[in-house]
Amino acid sequence: MNNPTQIANPRILMIGAGGVATVAAYKIVQNLDVFGEFMIASRRKAKCDELVNAIHAKGYKADIKTAQVDADDVEQLKALFSEFKPDLVINLALPYQDLTIMDACLACGCNYLDTANYEPKDEAHFEYSWQWAYKEKFEQAGLTAILGCGFDPGVSQAFTAYAAKHYFDEIHYLDIVDCNAGNHHKAFATNFNPEINIREITQKGLYYENGEWVETEPLAVHQDITYPNIGPRDSYLMHHEELESLVKNFPTIKRARFWMTFGQQYLTYLDVIQNLGMSRIDEIEYEAPLADGSGKTEKVKIVPLQFLKAVLPNPQDLGENYDGETSIGCRIRGIKDGKETTYYVYNNCKHQDAYNETGMQGVSYTTGVPAMIGAMMFVKGLWRKPGVWNLEDFDPDPFMEQLNKQGLPWHEEFDKDIEL
Ligand code: NDP
């Protein structure tokens, strides 16, 4: 049941004020002909205010409200939603908060969009089942939930849906290839939230073949893949959430895999971090000095990975000296009119271009821009239907058109060697 009417002066509430949220905020104020009232709420209001000041300092005159909210607390969220009355809540906090924010959306009649699927804090495990379980509730409430509207997940699914719509009768082989050939000139840093990033990378690999999921040891499978304007880079097979919905929505797929590049230095540090126990997500007891200067100590509980996050560079501060570019795309093999055909669709994004526009590096940029475009699709009524949806459930065409306009242009190659 599509509703093609555009919401006039929509009320948009964004939760989170980190790297991805910063980019999305810039993109929202660049599109004020579509978006109306805009509020940014996060764990620390000061961070939201800093972001608004930075946006104003760049010459944007938008009136942006800010608020403090703990998105782990449904009651706090409900109080905020009841007061601001958002048409759409854009969740750019962490995957831990997906379900509490969805619960509050249901309670207050708000639509929902995020960029990463739910993960419980105490288990490094991600899958869609938790959020798909909300489908009926959103349907009954007449509300739309758009899941995973970043780059990957996100654009990778729009790319696949676009390929299926325009170039294939059947998709048989899908490889999502994600290269970051940038250099931030730090010994070790992650490109998005370090806690979430390290949890993701240290998991076992998983891919889909002939109707079954095949597990691999973490980062055990790798090969060189050649990226446009970059060249060959060692790429590692990983589990990635969008594979789960893509093989369900495109049942002709025989094999689906996800590849990501890592430099040798990054992997060496990661190895050390794991061997030292610093990637642990369980609580340990630690005798810590009190902050009051009394010299007394007290036993506290800390999660090593959260402590590591506190000492690693903040991904939001990497942009200034970041050079090089990202290249993310889909390499697809399948059948059109009885003939085997291949298709490669990708975007390259330069870290410095992202920094000059938003103060953030390319990984935040490639996530924040699609989040804004997804919100735009919802507001325009192009992606609005009661239920809980992944990106390939929607028409990819208007979204793909906006990628070209909003800073993430894409390119196509037909019937070339796709290496995989
Ligand atoms: P950051 O850590 O930079 O930002 C997260 C923000 O959420 C911070 O402002 C943080 O507050 C706030 N926050 C955390 N917990 C709470 C809470 N309980 N209540 C309210 N606010 C909270 O992360 P990123 O911007 O790098 O990533 C944001 C999201 O994007 C993540 O879910 C990540 O997985 C996803 N992502 C998706 C990608 C994709 O392609 N689909 C790629 C990259 C990231 P504070 O500032 O106080 O810490």
Side-chain angles (χ1 to χ4, degrees):
M1 192 183 59
N2 264 316
N3 178 357
T5 49
Q6 180 157 347
I7 303 172
N9 205 24
R11 302 178 71 80
I12 307 294
L13 171 60
M14 184 175 84
I15 303 184
V20 175
T22 298
V23 172
Y26 274 95
K27 290 309 219 187
I28 285 173
V29 300
Q30 287 172 12
N31 287 279
L32 285 181
D33 54 326
V34 175
F35 299 107
E37 298 290 315
F38 181 30
M39 175 186 270
I40 305 172
S42 190
R43 179 164 56 185
R44 289 179 285 155
K45 184 175 180 295
K47 198 117 185 256
C48 309
D49 293 330
E50 268 169 41
L51 171 53
V52 173
N53 291 340
I55 288 172
H56 288 160
K58 280 240 182 203
Y60 298 103
K61 300 219 164 17
D63 174 23
I64 307 170
K65 295 184 174 54
T66 61
Q68 192 278 330
V69 73
D70 177 359
D72 287 319
D73 182 341
V74 181
E75 293 310 313
Q76 279 193 35
L77 288 165
K78 277 163 54 181
L80 180 67
F81 295 2
S82 304
E83 197 191 320
F84 183 66
K85 302 196 176 9
D87 294 295
L88 177 69
V89 176
I90 304 178
N91 168 15
L92 300 178
L94 297 178
Y96 311 136
Q97 282 91 43
D98 288 3
L99 300 187
T100 44
I101 298 176
M102 288 176 88
D103 282 331
C105 281
L106 283 169
C108 300
C110 309
N111 300 280
Y112 174 87
L113 180 147
D114 68 26
T115 63
N117 70 6
Y118 173 70
E119 270 182 60
K121 267 192 187 138
D122 55 359
E123 195 191 338
H125 178 73
F126 50 89
E127 60 173 56
Y128 277 116
S129 61
W130 286 290
Q131 290 182 278
W132 283 344
Y134 281 67
K135 192 171 179 64
E136 231 170 77
K137 287 186 197 162
F138 272 78
E139 263 168 21
Q140 281 164 7
L143 295 170
T144 302
I146 301 172
L147 304 185
C149 198
F151 207 106
D152 45 348
V155 176
S156 55
Q157 290 145 284
F159 279 173
T160 308
Y162 189 79
K165 180 172 174 185
H166 297 286
Y167 303 126
F168 289 94
D169 296 325
E170 287 185 11
I171 291 180
H172 289 168
Y173 298 97
L174 167 69
D175 285 283
I176 300 170
V177 292
D178 179 331
C179 171
N180 181 2
N183 187 352
H184 44 54
H185 303 282
K186 305 264 185 213
F188 182 84
T190 63
N191 295 294
F192 63 95
N193 185 284
E195 188 183 334
I196 304 299
N197 192 210
I198 291 173
R199 281 165 65 114
E200 174 182 326
I201 291 162
T202 51
Q203 277 199 45
K204 289 200 168 177
L206 195 69
Y207 66 98
Y208 179 84
E209 190 160 39
N210 297 326
E212 287 183 8
W213 290 98
V214 184
E215 203 174 74
T216 67
E217 286 308 306
L219 307 179
V221 178
H222 58 110
Q223 69 170 76
D224 268 2
I225 296 174
T226 310
Y227 296 89
N229 208 34
I230 292 167
R233 285 286 193 279
D234 206 3
S235 308
Y236 292 77
L237 187 145
M238 288 176 46
H239 174 36
H240 228 244
E241 60 207 65
E242 66 266 47
L243 297 180
E244 191 186 352
S245 66
L246 283 167
V247 299
K248 189 170 143 276
N249 284 317
F250 298 103
T252 59
I253 290 180
K254 296 179 183 173
R255 189 187 64 206
R257 300 179 296 190
F258 182 95
W259 304 85
M260 189 178 271
T261 60
F262 298 104
Q264 203 44 57
Q265 174 157 326
Y266 182 93
L267 293 176
T268 305
Y269 272 82
L270 193 65
D271 217 26
V272 173
I273 285 168
Q274 281 182 281
N275 287 334
L276 292 176
M278 288 305 296
S279 60
R280 280 173 59 174
I281 59 169
D282 54 324
E283 286 179 339
I284 58 157
E285 278 198 1
Y286 178 72
E287 183 90 22
L290 292 178
D292 61 10
S294 63
K296 288 186 190 146
T297 60
E298 197 161 320
K299 272 202 171 155
V300 291
K301 285 186 172 171
I302 59 167
V303 173
L305 183 56
Q306 286 171 3
F307 180 76
L308 179 70
K309 173 183 182 278
V311 295
L312 284 178
N314 182 347
Q316 278 183 259
D317 301 333
L318 296 176
E320 195 171 359
N321 297 314
Y322 218 136
D323 47 41
E325 60 195 294
T326 63
S327 178
I328 316 175
C330 293
R331 298 188 184 192
I332 300 172
R333 194 163 351 136
I335 300 286
K336 179 73 178 173
D337 299 330
K339 259 182 53 197
E340 177 161 286
T341 178
T342 70
Y343 176 65
Y344 176 27
V345 53
Y346 65 91
N347 160 264
N348 275 30
C349 175
K350 289 193 166 52
H351 289 288
Q352 270 309 301
D353 290 351
Y355 178 74
N356 292 337
E357 186 184 333
T358 64
M360 297 294 118
Q361 33 83 0
V363 177
S364 303
Y365 191 85
T366 54
T367 312
V369 172
M372 178 284 289
I373 298 175
M376 178 189 272
M377 295 296 104
F378 170 79
V379 166
K380 288 186 168 184
L382 299 167
W383 286 11
R384 198 185 307 150
K385 47 184 181 179
V388 172
W389 308 101
N390 296 92
L391 248 66
E392 67 271 24
D393 291 311
F394 296 106
D395 180 5
D397 291 359
F399 182 86
M400 295 285 281
E401 189 188 327
Q402 284 299 325
L403 286 173
N404 280 332
K405 291 184 179 159
Q406 305 287 346
L408 294 176
W410 42 277
H411 312 275
E412 302 178 300
E413 288 180 4
F414 297 91
D415 290 321
K416 289 211 175 147
D417 175 11
I418 53 170
E419 299 178 299
L420 292 157

